[in-house]
Amino acid sequence: MENKLKTSKNGSAGSKKAALDFSSGWNYDPSPESKDHIRLEKKYGLFINGEFVKPSSGKYFGTINPANEEHLAQVALAEEKDVNDAVKAARTAYNKVWSKMPAAERGKYLYRIARMIQERSRELAVIESMDGGKPIRESRDVDVPLAAAHFFYYAGWADKLDYAFPNRKVSPLGVAGQIIPWNFPLLMAAWKIAPALAAGNTVVLKPAETTPLTALKLAEIIRDAGLPPGVVNIITGAGKTGASIVNHKDINKIAFTGSTDVGKLIQRAVAGTDKKVTLELGGKAANIIFEDAPLDQAVEGIINGIFFNQGHVCCAGSRLFIQESVAAKVIRKLKARMESLIVGDPLDKNTDIGAINSKMQLEKIREYIGIGKNEGAEFYESSCSIPSKGYFCRPTLFLNASQSHRVVQEEIFGPVLTVQTFRTVEEVIEKANNTPYGLSAGVWTDKGSKIFNMMSKMRAGVVWANTFNKFDPTSPFGGYKESGYGREGGLHGLMGYVNLK
Ligand code: NAP
Ligand code: MG
C-alpha cells in the first residue's frame, strides 16, 4: 500500500518537514475490502428447529449499513408465538438429543462450528463491518478470530466437565435464553452459545435489532455443520422479543449483555422464578497513566481503549486519569495522535474509527457532547474530515473534567474521552472507583508493585496493565456493581451453564 503526501497548507508537499509532521497530512490511498464474495439474502426468516421459517406475524424489518445508510436485508420480527416455537424446539432437542449425546460428540460439533467460522472468516468480517459500522481491521483481526477461538476453547471442555469441577456432579441447566447487543454481534453470540452447548444446554438467542446479520450467518453455519435441529435457535426482533424470551416459563437460564437499564428490567422479571441469570452490563472504565509509564505506549493504549471501535465497547477506557507531572506531555501527544486517526469507511483497511452503529446512538453521543460543553469541561475534537453520509463522530476529549460531571459518570458509548489529573495513588483509586460501574480498568506504570497495589484496590472485573482491551477465551470477563454479575470466558464461563452437586 502506497503512502501519499497531501499538499500541505504552506505548499510543502514532499518536503522532509511535511513528511515528519502528521498534522500536515499523510494520506493513505483508499484500500477498501471487497464485497464481491458476500452473499446476503433479501429476506431472512427465523432460525428455528434447524431451518429458516417465516415469522408467524409475517412482519419483517430492515437492517442498514450505518456508514452509508444503505438497506442491507429484511429480517423477520419474532413475536411471542415464534418465541414459544423456538423454546419448544430447544426443549425437545434438549430432552431427546443434546443432553443424551456423549460429551465428546458435543465437542466435535463445536470444533466443526469453530473451523467453519475460520473458513468463512472473510465473509463474516465484511458483513460484521457492513451491518454494524466497525472497521474491517477490528472485525477481521479481533471479532471473527475470537469468535472461532471461543468455540475451539469450549469444544475442549465439553468432555472434561468432571475435571473442570472436580468431585462435583455436573449437569446442564436445560434451555438458555440469550440476548446480545449490537457492538460485538458475532463475538457475543460465540461467548454465549459455545459454553452453553459445551455444558449440554440448548439455546434460543436474540441478536440486536441493528446488527442481526452475522448471527444469521452463524445460523447458516450451525445448520451446515449438521448440529441437531433445535439445539440452537436464533430469532430476530426488537426489545419486545427479548422480553418474551426473558418471561418465557420454560427457560432455565437468561444470559444477557446490554445496557444496565435493561439488565435491571430483566432482574425484576426473573425475581421469584428459579431461572439462573448472568448479566454483562455497562461500564465507565478508568485508564490510569502514572508518571513512570512508557508514555508513547500509554497514548496508543488510550487511543485503542476509547477510539477504535467508535467507543462502542462496554469496557472502553472512557475516563482518563493522568498523573499531574506528565499531564501536559500526555495530552499533547494524545492530541497529535488523534489528528492522525482516520474516520470513515468501515470497509477500508486504513480506517481507525468506523461508523456509529445507529442514528439513535449518534444522537445520544451528540447529546452527551452538548452536556459536557454545558457542564464546563474543555471540549476538544480532532480536525479530521468525516463522511457527509452515514453516522460518524470525530474523536473527542473533555479536558479538565470533574468527578461530578455527567460525562464522567454516565456511559456515553461513543468516541468521547474525559480527562482528569491526579497527584497520589490514593487519590486516583478513590476517583477511579467513584462510579456506579465496575467492568474494567487500565493501569500504565513501570513498577510491578504499583500494578499489584492498584489491581487489589480497583473495583473492576478486569484490570489491564500496560495494555488495554485484550481478550482471550481462557480469561473470565464480567463486572462489579452495576456492570452486572456472573462471568463469561474461561472456566468461570461454564459455571453459568451447569448445576453442581
Ligand atoms: P440494550 O438496549 O440493553 O440492548 C441489548 C439487547 O437487549 C438487544 O438485543 C435488545 O434488543 C435487547 N432488549 C432491549 N430491551 C429489552 C427488554 N426489555 N428485555 C429483553 N431484551 C431487551 O443495549 P444496547 O444499546 O443494544 O447495547 C449497548 C449497551 O450494552 C451498553 O450499555 C454497553 O455497555 C452494554 N454492553 C455490555 C457488554 C458487557 O460485556 N458488559 C458488552 C456489550 C455491550 P434491540 O436491540 O432489538 O432493542
Ligand atoms: Mg445494521
Side-chain angles (χ1 to χ4, degrees):
M1 184 188 326
E2 190 192 334
N3 293 334
K4 260 195 339 191
L5 262 183
K6 204 166 69 176
T7 310
S8 67
K9 283 186 194 106
N10 59 10
S12 59
S15 76
K16 196 169 176 204
K17 181 170 176 292
L20 292 173
D21 179 2
F22 262 127
S23 60
S24 70
W26 271 93
N27 246 6
Y28 291 96
D29 277 344
S31 176
E33 177 72 42
S34 162
K35 288 187 286 190
D36 295 348
H37 58 297
I38 299 308
R39 227 177 9 89
L40 283 177
E41 307 290 339
K42 279 204 172 73
K43 230 180 196 185
Y44 282 91
L46 303 166
F47 185 67
I48 298 177
N49 210 22
E51 55 183 358
F52 285 94
V53 296
K54 287 191 179 140
S56 58
S57 66
K59 290 184 201 152
Y60 291 79
F61 60 97
T63 183
I64 64 157
N65 180 341
N68 55 20
E69 298 168 57
E70 271 170 21
H71 171 83
L72 293 172
Q74 291 281 105
V75 298
L77 177 70
E79 295 191 338
E80 210 170 314
K81 173 169 185 321
D82 308 296
V83 174
N84 287 340
D85 290 349
V87 175
K88 208 167 148 195
R91 177 61 62 192
T92 307
Y94 176 76
N95 287 338
K96 298 205 166 143
V97 186
W98 200 244
S99 62
K100 297 208 167 116
M101 186 183 282
E105 293 301 312
R106 284 204 309 268
K108 284 185 198 167
Y109 282 108
L110 292 179
Y111 279 122
R112 195 177 299 162
I113 294 168
R115 285 195 301 271
M116 290 173 74
I117 291 174
Q118 286 185 321
E119 281 159 19
R120 294 175 64 172
S121 59
R122 261 187 80 202
E123 181 189 3
L124 290 167
V126 171
I127 295 175
E128 197 71 304
S129 286
M130 286 167 69
D131 200 17
K134 63 171 59 191
I136 186 73
R137 206 176 58 202
E138 293 283 315
S139 43
R140 182 196 61 195
D141 298 348
V142 181
D143 297 58
V144 178
L146 270 179
H150 270 82
F151 275 101
F152 276 120
Y153 175 73
Y154 283 111
W157 275 122
D159 61 347
K160 301 175 196 71
L161 296 176
D162 292 339
Y163 300 95
F165 306 105
N167 304 318
R168 309 289 294 270
K169 197 167 172 334
V170 189
S171 59
L173 301 174
V175 177
Q178 307 183 321
I179 299 162
I180 58 173
W182 43 259
N183 57 348
F184 289 89
L186 179 70
L187 184 56
M188 288 298 125
W191 275 30
K192 300 256 179 301
I193 294 174
L197 297 194
N201 305 276
T202 58
V203 163
V204 176
L205 176 131
K206 188 196 95 68
E209 216 170 321
T210 55
T211 54
L213 294 181
T214 46
L216 293 165
K217 283 278 151 190
L218 182 62
E220 286 177 8
I221 288 175
I222 283 169
R223 181 196 57 195
D224 297 349
L227 198 75
V231 173
V232 172
N233 304 275
I234 296 181
I235 56 174
T236 44
K240 213 169 149 212
T241 316
S244 300
I245 295 176
V246 171
N247 293 321
H248 199 288
K249 292 205 163 47
D250 199 27
I251 280 186
N252 305 93
K253 147 98 190 189
I254 296 293
F256 172 78
T257 298
S259 61
T260 295
D261 286 348
V262 175
K264 286 179 182 173
L265 286 177
I266 291 177
Q267 222 166 352
R268 259 180 238 134
V270 299
T273 72
D274 58 3
K275 283 176 191 153
K276 271 203 176 191
V277 183
T278 42
L279 300 173
E280 303 273 6
L281 309 175
K284 192 77 186 174
N287 205 359
I288 301 166
I289 318 293
F290 284 100
E291 60 189 359
D292 57 4
L295 296 187
D296 290 320
Q297 288 171 33
V299 167
E300 267 322 290
I302 297 164
I303 297 276
N304 172 27
I306 183 69
F307 295 136
F308 293 166
N309 254 330
Q310 305 76 248
H312 292 345
V313 187
C314 48
C315 50
S318 50
R319 291 180 300 148
L320 176 63
F321 294 93
I322 317 172
Q323 199 153 21
E324 210 170 81
S325 51
V326 291
K329 200 169 171 186
V330 171
I331 290 167
R332 197 172 61 243
K333 283 173 183 280
L334 181 60
K335 284 180 174 174
R337 181 67 177 94
M338 282 166 72
E339 283 299 310
S340 71
L341 292 175
I342 300 170
V343 183
D345 179 8
L347 284 186
D348 193 309
K349 293 167 206 120
N350 300 318
T351 294
D352 297 304
I353 303 178
I356 301 300
N357 183 264
S358 65
K359 193 168 174 210
M360 221 172 80
Q361 187 60 24
L362 181 60
E363 277 162 10
K364 181 181 158 193
I365 296 167
R366 285 189 178 146
E367 195 185 324
Y368 270 110
I369 290 177
I371 290 169
K373 286 177 178 172
N374 284 337
E375 284 174 326
E378 186 192 323
F379 170 78
Y380 173 86
E381 65 175 2
S382 156
S383 66
C384 62
S385 64
I386 55 174
S388 53
K389 206 163 183 337
Y391 315 133
F392 291 92
C393 180
R394 292 190 179 86
T396 300
L397 297 180
F398 278 111
L399 299 152
N400 296 322
S402 87
Q403 282 299 104
S404 60
H405 286 164
R406 280 182 64 190
V407 285
V408 171
Q409 288 296 327
E410 296 173 20
E411 185 181 47
I412 301 173
F413 227 58
V416 180
L417 176 66
T418 62
V419 184
Q420 296 171 263
T421 58
F422 68 94
R423 287 185 184 170
T424 64
V425 171
E426 293 68 31
E427 180 192 350
V428 76
I429 288 171
E430 189 162 337
K431 281 181 169 169
N433 283 338
N434 180 10
T435 160
Y437 297 110
L439 193 56
S440 63
V443 179
W444 297 80
T445 168
D446 193 31
K447 301 275 177 301
S449 56
K450 219 183 261 176
I451 291 171
F452 285 120
N453 181 35
M454 294 296 291
M455 281 181 174
S456 66
K457 295 189 176 135
M458 299 287 297
R459 304 276 300 152
V462 181
V463 182
W464 286 290
N466 294 327
T467 186
F468 209 90
N469 274 351
K470 285 279 176 291
F471 288 92
D472 189 280
T474 62
S475 165
F477 181 82
Y480 281 52
K481 301 191 279 187
E482 290 196 17
S483 291
Y485 51 77
R487 295 291 178 265
E488 289 186 309
L491 191 51
H492 296 68
L494 284 172
M495 268 180 214
Y497 289 99
V498 291
N499 281 315
L500 297 176
K501 279 190 193 143

